[in-house]
Each structure stands twice: as structure tokens, then as C-alpha cells.
Amino acid sequence: MDESASTPKPQPKPKKRKRVNVRRPDVMEMVQAEVAEHYRSSIVEKVRSRGGQISIDNTTVYLAQQFGFCYGVERAIDLAYASRRVFPENRIFLIGEIIHNPEVNRQLREMGITSLEWRELTAEYDDLTEDDVVIVPAFGAPMTFMEKLDELGVIVVDTTCGDVMSVWRRVRGYAKAGVTSIIHGKAGHEETRATASRALGPDKTGHYLVVLTLADTEKVCDYIRGNGQRDEFMKYFEGSYSDGFDPDEHLKQIGVANQTTMLKSETEEVQNRLRAAIVDRDGGDATNFQVFDTICGATQERQDSLFDLLKRPLDLLLVVGGYNSSNTTHLVEIGQEVVPSFFIRKAECLRSLEEVIHFDLEAKEEQVATGYSAKFVSDEPVTIGITAGASCPSNLIEDTIVRIFELRGISKEQVVSA
């Protein structure tokens, strides 16, 4: 008898992704100089130091008190730049985009950092080796992606925002307690997909449902109160719930969480309506409802600062940032309620005083607005407000300020001297 044939062969140990600390003092000194060169603005810093206002002749520009890069975004960019410094010869990859800003992502591509598909695990992941570096973006990545990186044993630089990880801890707690996570967010957004995967819990037996609008929330509330039809409900939310989700079973106990960049007032309304539905169903008892505020502090600050800015008599508001940026989109929504507001990617979107290329939120496409105000082509005084989401660098704000004044016949040199 061949004993070797009956003796089981030892199984290879599973690989583990290698986490590294790239924030070394010697590296970060160089990184911060690079980041400052690429993204900072002396003009913006001076305007901010003087109360956020610059006036020349008959043109005034106000900056929101809080706008642009937040700590989490700065950290993610620093880590991406540091990765190239620490691993100058390695191939470096990034799951999707580091943040939602085309200028920042362009800079990373020029540094030789290659984007991987973020919607699904494609064949390109199988080609990664143990010497490759993979950057996890500020939004995080779903557990299936992290498990794949474990399997491959690659070097991982994780830039996930701390506020996002706080939400993950919350939804994991819901799953452990048998509570279904109701996630206020965009089902296809990178952050929400990452959060939803954590809502399954470590044993993947938890459940989640994603709601985006108050209309979505009302559908859930109606069902909780016993007024919905199961088939219609499942069809309406198709693609927005966990495998095996059953509204008759999994809406008995719910806990609310959110994509950290949502509009704060809307998230609060979602929470209030869901709680009211549970209380109505359970005879005044709110035991089966849980909620924790998981809106990002920087997102809230930027929204609050815009509300303050809108108290001024503005003729126009410009919101600068990437069109796929959730927190920037919500700033546009706030502005549109008060003053003509345009969502622009960069200063070049201001073609002239009569034309602006902007992203229309309703049409979900870039459009050209013309003739929005006769004041801009006259000698009348004009007041323009500017804000930006947490993923917009200051150099793009500077370009926008300069462009406004140039279109009003005022040179960049005059702006600098002012």
C-alpha cells in the first residue's frame, strides 16, 4: 500500500494582504511639498484670512467659510502620493478613484497609478502579484474586494476615511443584533456599496435596504405600517437590498445609517419618518428602531457654511467640484433653492459673461446656460458666491476667482495685489 497516496497533502496557508505604513516622516516631508505645489492656493488662503471676501471695483466675490479638502480627503491624497515615494519601482493600482475629483485623479494617473474597476471584480485583479501595491480609496471598498486582496497577498495602502469606518462599525453592530440596516444613500455609490457589504456582518447573515429619496422612505414606511404589496415593493427596490431580503421578516427591527455625504436635513427626515412608522406599527413602542448620526462632520460644516453664505445678497452661486461628488451635489441643491446656482468642474466652464457650462442635476448632464443675468455684461455691481465640496482642491477655486475677475475686465495681477 502506498502510504503517501492516503496521506493528505498539506494545504498552502492562505495569503494575507500586506498592510504598510507609508506615512514615514522622511516621505511625508516630500509628499506635503508635492501636494502643496499641485493643489494649494495663496490667493485662496489670503481671501480666507480676510473674512472670505475680495472686492475690486464693482465686482465682489465671497467664499463660504468652509469648503474644499477635508481632513479625510487630504489624508487619502497624502497616502496615495506617499505610496509612489515608498514604492518607486512597484506597480501601483487604485480601486476606482481616490476621491471624486477629476483633477486629483489625473495627477495620480500621471504618477503611474492605474485605476482598477470598482463596480465588480474583473479579470484584471487576477493579474495582480504579491509585489503590486493596491490603494483602497477614501470611500472604502466592499468586503469581496478586500477578501480578494487577501487572497492575492498584495501590498495594501488603505485610505478609507475614518468617518466611513464609523458607519461600518455601526452597521456591523446592527447585523450582530439581528437588526436590518436601512442605509440612506445612493445604492451605486462606492461608499454605500462598501457600507452595505459590512451590514451583512462577519457571517454574512445580516440584511440591508438602501433608500435614496423621501419617496423611497415613504414606500418603506407604508410597508412597515402594513399597507404595501410585497411583489411591488421588491420590484421598486430591486438592486437596493441584500440577497435573501424579505420585507415581511427583515423590517421588523431596523437601524438607520447613511452615506456620510448626504444632505443632513434629508437624512434626519428619513430617520424621523421611519421611526414614526415603527412606533405606529408597534403601538407606541420604538424598541425596534435604532439610529445614530453618521453624517460626516466636514460635510455638515460645508452645508452649514453655505447656508450662512446664502444670507448675503448674491447674484450668483458657483459650486466647484467633480460631477460625481455626492457632497458637492448636495451643496448645489441647497444653493438652487435661494439663488441662481451653477455646478462647474473648473474655471474654464465659465466661457464668458453670458455662457457657463454646468452640470444640470435634473437632466443629469452637462449643459450650457446663457443669458442668466444681464448684470454680468454691464457695469452694474455684481456679487458672486463660491463654495466647493470636500473633494475640490484650492487651486481650482483660485482659477475660478481669477476667471470671474478677468471676465469683468480685472487682471490676475490686480487680484493678487488686492
Side-chain angles (χ1 to χ4, degrees), residues 31-103:
V31 163
Q32 286 163 5
E34 281 185 292
V35 170
E37 180 185 351
H38 287 163
Y39 306 120
R40 287 191 186 139
S41 160
S42 60
I43 288 178
V44 169
E45 288 169 4
K46 287 177 182 176
V47 174
R48 273 182 143 162
S49 70
R50 299 175 186 180
Q53 175 183 350
I54 178 171
S55 297
I56 305 176
D57 297 337
N58 57 358
T59 303
T60 297
V61 171
Y62 286 109
L63 299 183
Q65 186 176 6
Q66 296 290 335
F67 66 88
F69 282 174
C70 64
Y71 169 76
V73 165
E74 288 181 343
R75 174 180 173 275
I77 294 171
D78 284 352
L79 289 172
Y81 274 61
S83 298
R84 177 45 79 202
R85 287 283 183 178
V86 174
F87 300 101
E89 304 300 327
N90 298 58
R91 296 194 305 171
I92 301 182
F93 298 89
L94 166 66
I95 300 175
E97 298 180 329
I98 192 73
I99 58 171
H100 284 156
N101 186 274
E103 168 68 12

Side-chain angles (χ1 to χ4, degrees), residues 68-135:
F69 282 174
C70 64
Y71 169 76
V73 165
E74 288 181 343
R75 174 180 173 275
I77 294 171
D78 284 352
L79 289 172
Y81 274 61
S83 298
R84 177 45 79 202
R85 287 283 183 178
V86 174
F87 300 101
E89 304 300 327
N90 298 58
R91 296 194 305 171
I92 301 182
F93 298 89
L94 166 66
I95 300 175
E97 298 180 329
I98 192 73
I99 58 171
H100 284 156
N101 186 274
E103 168 68 12
V104 174
N105 289 296
R106 180 187 65 78
Q107 290 280 4
L108 295 186
R109 287 194 299 273
E110 291 182 359
M111 292 164 58
I113 297 175
T114 303
S115 287
L116 296 168
E117 173 58 45
W118 61 270
R119 294 173 184 84
E120 58 182 338
L121 286 167
T122 54
E124 59 190 343
Y125 284 87
D126 293 323
D127 295 332
L128 297 174
T129 72
E130 294 183 15
D131 293 324
D132 290 330
V133 179
V134 177
I135 301 173

Side-chain angles (χ1 to χ4, degrees), residues 318-332:
L318 297 174
V319 183
V320 189
Y323 294 156
N324 58 343
S325 168
S326 175
N327 72 89
T328 311
T329 297
H330 293 310
L331 295 176
V332 181

Side-chain angles (χ1 to χ4, degrees), residues 147-161:
E147 289 162 359
K148 182 67 173 179
L149 299 184
D150 270 342
E151 175 190 326
L152 296 167
V154 299
I155 302 165
V156 172
V157 177
D158 193 345
T159 78
T160 304
C161 175

